[in-house]
Amino acid sequence: MVDPNGIPLGFAMALAQNQKALERFALLSKEEKKVLTEKAKHADTKEEMQQIVESIINLQNFT
């Protein structure tokens, strides 16, 4: 299920539970957000979704 902004609801919920990841996601470029959103759309498990969210914390470049 995807919200009106194109973000999978599971991804949005996982971000909401991780304040640091949510703050960093907000700083990403539109293209970076799109890449992560596409990865989230193809996540098959909750664990995979969690890995995507946790990877946001470790991102170095904010273009």
Side-chain angles (χ1 to χ4, degrees), residues 12 26 30:
K30 186 175 180 179

Side-chain angles (χ1 to χ4, degrees), residues 3 6 9 11 13-14 17-19 21-22 26 32-33 35-36 39-40 42-43 48 51 55 57-59 62-63:
D3 79 359
L9 291 179
F11 185 50
M13 290 173 57
Q17 294 174 358
N18 187 322
Q19 187 65 31
L22 180 61
E32 288 170 319
K33 288 178 183 176
V35 169
L36 287 166
K39 284 184 182 181
H42 295 94
E48 195 175 348
Q51 288 175 347
S55 75
I57 296 169
N58 298 320
L59 292 175
F62 297 108
T63 55

Side-chain angles (χ1 to χ4, degrees), residues 9-55:
L9 291 179
F11 185 50
M13 290 173 57
L15 278 174
Q17 294 174 358
N18 187 322
Q19 187 65 31
K20 191 170 185 177
L22 180 61
E23 290 170 359
R24 290 207 177 197
F25 185 79
L27 297 174
L28 297 176
S29 70
K30 186 175 180 179
E31 186 61 33
E32 288 170 319
K33 288 178 183 176
K34 182 179 177 182
V35 169
L36 287 166
T37 300
E38 285 302 313
K39 284 184 182 181
K41 286 179 182 178
H42 295 94
D44 294 324
T45 65
K46 183 178 179 180
E47 291 77 18
E48 195 175 348
M49 186 71 74
Q50 191 63 37
Q51 288 175 347
I52 294 166
V53 170
E54 289 175 6
S55 75

